[in-house]
Amino acid sequence: MAGGAWLQLQVALLLLVALIFSTLSPSEAEAEAEAAAATSTNLRRRQEVQSLLKRLNKPPLATIQSPDGDIIDCVHISKQPAFDHPLLKNHTIQMRPSIQPSGMYGEAARPFTQTWNQNGEKCPDNTIPIRRTKEEDVMRATSVATFGKKTHGSHHPRLAGVTDGHHYGVASATGDANYYGTKATINLWQPTIATSGDFSLAQLWISAGSYQNKDLNTIEAGWQRDAYDQTGCYNLACSGFIQTNTQVVIGGSISPVSIYGGPQYEYDYLVWKDLAGGNWWLQVQGKYVGYWPSSIFTHLQTGVADTVEWGGEVNSPRSTTPMGSGHFPKEGFGKATYSKAIQVVDSSNNLKSPNGVSLIAPLPNCYSVMTGFSSTTSWGTYIYYGGSGCP
């Protein structure tokens, strides 16, 4: 019968497959097992990725397609990722700081432009723009658990070494015991990344506590170019930072960027502690972006910073990724990266030049930093930093 023949054929095929499997050499069988295990691992990781994406990407009220390929979700301000933090479940949003530090100097800020809204796009009222995290973003991380997070190790200028792949060209404020914030105008570049997994950044650091005692609190703000265990996050990848600005995409691309020997572009960054509520506010180009609630910190909750720094950092195990423009400080304006109009916030909520600065550059032949002061221009205290990496 046709049905019987079909059944016999199926049995024969199954038997043939079984015989083939049974005659594999030990090495072939091991390879088959490894391939099956890899498939299972990849499937499990993709399931973890999808779970993470569901948590990170909040339901939008509107969506904007950016020319650079990013998708911008307009999320209700009360539904942003910050409120996944257990300490912020009943938090009341502070829409503006109670007061801004006085005494800021520098040139008038240029408008803050990002690629996503260069044609006038904007999100609806009561929403904030958030760059949608894609599957490929997460898959580039070493693991789902470390996506968007800083990894263990001495990844702070005060702990700089030469063996962990993180390298610095940084200036640190000296002469004061306490700092209530800092301001810097940071030169913007787009360095070439030598190896996948490397990054290059320019930023400011505000910190208190001790890494050795596992109670180091840090706030960092600036720009990063990349292809960053359980604490410390970038952008909105983990809960904590509360965004209030409706026109800034944290983690979104900024344009234009500086050109070697050509036009230079820069952005003002100001971070300070609002003494009325204790929150640490971020301002970029004169616009309030949002704040780090005091409740998520230990030392920075009721206290202030004991260290502030400015400069560049690269993560490059082979020390081949350039810092900043990729050129050394001695080349000067238009060629090397700079941070200028550097100030610190004192206990009276006044901005002032730091009393002094010390320099940190463990590999000066690869990445270096130099400082200066101009009393006749808006530059005030400034630094040049960067380098091409090690040969």
Side-chain angles (χ1 to χ4, degrees):
M1 294 174 60
W6 179 86
L7 178 61
Q8 290 173 6
L9 178 60
Q10 292 299 308
V11 172
L13 287 174
L14 289 172
L15 179 61
L16 178 61
V17 172
L19 288 173
I20 291 174
F21 283 163
S22 66
T23 57
L24 287 175
S25 68
S27 61
E28 291 173 323
E30 183 178 346
E32 289 281 355
E34 291 177 351
T39 300
S40 177
T41 299
N42 289 336
L43 178 60
R44 185 169 60 253
R45 188 180 189 198
R46 288 193 176 277
Q47 290 173 337
E48 293 173 349
V49 168
Q50 292 304 315
S51 178
L52 176 64
L53 293 176
K54 185 177 180 180
R55 179 175 62 82
L56 289 178
N57 295 323
K58 305 302 182 183
L61 299 182
T63 297
I64 298 171
Q65 181 70 55
S66 175
D68 61 4
D70 283 348
I71 299 174
I72 308 303
D73 289 329
C74 301
V75 177
H76 194 278
I77 191 170
S78 65
K79 303 297 183 181
Q80 61 181 292
F83 297 108
D84 289 339
H85 197 294
L87 296 176
L88 301 177
K89 292 300 183 183
N90 299 312
H91 183 83
T92 300
I93 300 176
Q94 181 185 4
M95 294 303 298
R96 294 176 60 87
S98 63
I99 191 171
Q100 181 174 313
S102 61
M104 184 186 302
Y105 64 78
E107 300 171 358
R110 294 189 181 95
F112 185 82
T113 58
Q114 291 186 285
T115 307
W116 76 278
N117 61 358
Q118 63 185 11
N119 295 320
E121 294 85 353
K122 62 180 182 179
C123 281
D125 292 342
N126 301 316
T127 68
I128 61 168
I130 300 178
R131 179 184 178 273
R132 183 182 298 179
T133 303
K134 302 176 182 179
E135 180 175 330
E136 54 264 35
D137 297 329
V138 183
M139 295 299 288
R140 282 195 296 265
T142 55
S143 72
V144 175
T146 59
F147 171 73
K149 299 178 180 178
K150 298 187 69 173
T151 55
H152 281 307
S154 56
H155 305 160
H156 189 278
R158 72 166 83 174
L159 304 170
V162 295
T163 59
D164 67 349
H166 286 251
H167 309 294
Y168 298 88
V170 167
S172 179
T174 62
D176 289 302
N178 297 308
Y179 300 94
Y180 292 73
T182 186
K183 178 261 179 187
T185 301
I186 303 177
N187 192 203
L188 178 63
W189 290 82
Q190 186 171 308
T192 300
I193 303 303
T195 305
S196 176
D198 289 6
F199 68 70
S200 182
L201 60 77
Q203 64 177 33
L204 58 84
W205 289 261
I206 295 176
S207 56
S210 167
Y211 179 82
Q212 290 82 356
N213 293 334
K214 298 182 179 180
D215 64 353
L216 179 65
N217 292 181
T218 67
I219 292 173
E220 305 173 17
W223 61 260
Q224 176 171 312
R225 170 76 169 169
D226 57 28
Y228 193 121
D229 102 309
Q230 298 304 315
T231 60
C233 290
Y234 276 97
N235 305 324
L236 301 179
C238 67
S239 53
F241 183 83
I242 296 177
Q243 182 171 338
T244 58
N245 191 290
T246 63
Q247 295 300 311
V248 173
V249 172
I250 298 175
S253 59
I254 304 174
S255 61
V257 298
S258 300
I259 299 173
Y260 183 81
Q264 299 298 295
Y265 297 93
E266 59 194 33
Y267 289 92
D268 292 335
Y269 292 84
L270 168 63
V271 177
W272 81 99
K273 184 167 188 172
D274 183 4
L275 297 181
N279 299 323
W280 290 84
W281 274 85
L282 169 65
Q283 184 185 88
V284 179
Q285 289 298 87
K287 297 182 180 298
Y288 303 131
V289 178
Y291 61 93
W292 293 267
S294 62
S295 59
I296 68 173
F297 296 109
T298 53
H299 290 283
L300 294 177
Q301 180 175 10
T302 57
V304 293
D306 54 39
T307 307
V308 293
E309 288 117 343
W310 321 267
E313 175 188 356
V314 297
N315 175 38
S316 180
R318 297 181 180 179
S319 306
T320 52
T321 286
M323 178 186 295
S325 67
H327 294 262
F328 287 91
K330 63 183 180 181
E331 294 192 44
F333 183 78
K335 299 177 180 179
T337 306
Y338 60 83
S339 290
K340 67 177 188 179
I342 294 173
Q343 296 177 281
V344 295
V345 183
D346 65 18
S347 59
S348 299
N349 206 38
N350 293 320
L351 281 156
K352 65 173 189 176
S353 292
N355 287 329
V357 296
S358 61
L359 303 179
I360 303 171
L363 291 176
N365 293 327
C366 308
Y367 313 103
S368 62
V369 58
M370 60 180 285
T371 185
F373 180 82
S374 174
S375 60
T376 58
T377 69
S378 61
W379 279 54
T381 300
Y382 65 87
I383 58 173
Y384 280 103
Y385 49 96
S388 56
C390 297

